[in-house]
Amino acid sequence: MRLATDRSPGLTIPFRYLFTGVAVLLLVSAGIVLHAQALTGYFFRSPVFLALTHLITLGWITLTIMGAMFQLVPVVTEKALFSERVARAVYYLYLVGLVLLVRAFVSDTSAGMGAGIVSAAIVLFLSDIAVTMFRRAGQGPAVTGAVVPSGVHQGAVSGTGRADLAVWYVRAAMVFLLMTVVMGSLAAAGLHRHIVDNPLALLSMHMTIAGIGWVCFAVIGFSFRLVPMFVLSHGYDETYGWTSFAMLLTGLVLLVLHFTLELVVPGFWPDGTSWLGLAGAMAILAGIVGYTLQMRVIFRNRVRRQIEPALWFTICATAYFVIAGAALVWMFAFRYPIRLGSVTVIAGLFGFAGMYIIGMMHKIVPFLHWYNKYSSGIGTREVPMTRDMISGPLTWVQLFVFNAGMVLLASGILTGTGSVILVSGVLLFSGSLMFAWNMVNVLRT
Amino acid sequence: MVTQQEVMKALEAVIDPELGLNIVEMGLVYGVKVENDQVHVSMTLSARACPLHGSMLSGAENVIKRMDGVKAVVVELVWDPPWTPDMIAPETRKRMGFR
């Protein structure tokens, strides 16, 4: 009898990624406090904005997703991680690259070296995960003829001959991560070596694929796997989830086409309006609505009536996702108001991905630490419950503080008010400190 | 020789740390067979990808191994029928406030 969990990597691998992510979140929120005034203007080429967005996307969100994937992909696929050594090497390589990249943004010098190292680390990460996912199966426990009707969720299942919604999202996210690296390299080359007339179109493509393709698909994939597990939701219909997948993919393709036309035929959208971009944004919003409806189905089907604060983070995250989608449509409908673009990025990255990550970390970190420290004692000695390893009241406080910080940050940027951004930064930093405290305390139990 | 009931009672010590429920009241234990000093348990898990479940199986094995009169334990993992929350004991559902 062998279990997938026997094949998951040592705890130090996911934990180094997850905890470094927490540290980067502290750094980012401190950065908002220190540079509040710099965030009131036009950002996209500003050193502070570039440094902070890359710290959020690469340093916090991507690092956390990487750690979660190194842990969960072997568990879900029931195959051992292809190489733990690669997973360790990726961590150090990635960090070095990230530090060089952010330093280059801050000092407004060439980011080529840092971006190259980060890209190499990402390619190694993707290779390790892809080989793990697609290596020969047959090492998992026997499936004794479970019959699962198509489109109906029966818990986290693999090997039942049925398409797995969460796995499809994660696979797509991996492809988009690779595309993000390629587009980022092209955009950087375009900006510095002037190889294209409109490098901003390449940059927009890079941001779109990174934000929607990589971050959103990965987070959605994880949420479709983890949320039902934690609220005990089974036997529900997944039609909304599949519809969401199709709509998000369609929207992404349309947006990439829109930017491609802008790149290849300068002035293709002369007055700044684009029906193609608007159609893409509307498809994305439809995908987000599909995701929201699927989450509603999951929650309505839950057995555990009480919703813990960690799960409230995921509910808030979904609300921010809807706001980000609506802001995206607004942006394309009304000729790219730049501040609204920033609000879209904040609602999507900090609000959706960030809130989701914070919520799930409150469940995953105690889970993994418990497994590492107490699982051998189960049934033979008294072991704590995972809920005893985290402070519930502190998690509630965090929920309110992060929400207040998020709303103020978006408002401050939308209105260009430095003092509001400063207050939001203080709130986000306080929330991050509480979050870090809660996480570190798990390790003390 | 231990009895089926004694084995089931012993398995109540194996608690899911996330839910705070033991594997018997969760309905994860599908069957117990006792032949002389050998115990065979067939059980399932609530989801295939749950990271904690390795410990549930080894926990079941450990508690039975510690029973007097048991020399060999086989804990077989099965997926048919798939577990659903309906398998949680009705009194447990009520106590936990589950739907």
Side-chain angles (χ1 to χ4, degrees), chain A residues 24 27-29 31-32 39 43-62 94 98 101-102 105-106 203 206-207 210-211 214-215 341-346 349-350 409 413:
Chain A
V24 175
L27 199 64
V28 169
S29 47
I32 295 172
L39 292 173
F43 316 121
F44 287 105
R45 296 287 307 270
S46 96
V48 171
F49 183 79
L50 281 173
L52 285 180
T53 48
H54 282 83
L55 273 175
I56 292 174
T57 50
L58 292 174
W60 178 32
I61 295 172
T62 299
Y94 188 86
L98 182 65
L101 187 68
V102 172
F105 286 140
V106 171
L203 196 64
H206 166 70
M207 284 165 56
W214 161 238
V215 173
S342 308
V343 171
T344 310
V345 170
I346 289 162
L349 290 182
F350 229 129
L409 181 62
I413 285 178

Side-chain angles (χ1 to χ4, degrees), chain A residues 19 22 365 434-445:
Chain A
F19 277 88
V22 176
V365 170
M434 288 183 249
F435 174 44
W437 175 263
N438 236 350
M439 292 298 108
V440 170
N441 267 346
V442 170
L443 304 182
R444 290 186 184 162
T445 52

Side-chain angles (χ1 to χ4, degrees), chain A residues 1 5 78 143-144 363 380, chain B residues 18 48 51 66 75 80 99:
Chain A
M1 179 173 56
T5 40
E78 299 176 7
V143 179
T144 56
K363 302 296 290 180
T380 56
Chain B
E18 169 63 19
R48 287 185 65 126
R66 291 173 56 169
V75 179
D80 186 23
R99 292 168 190 241

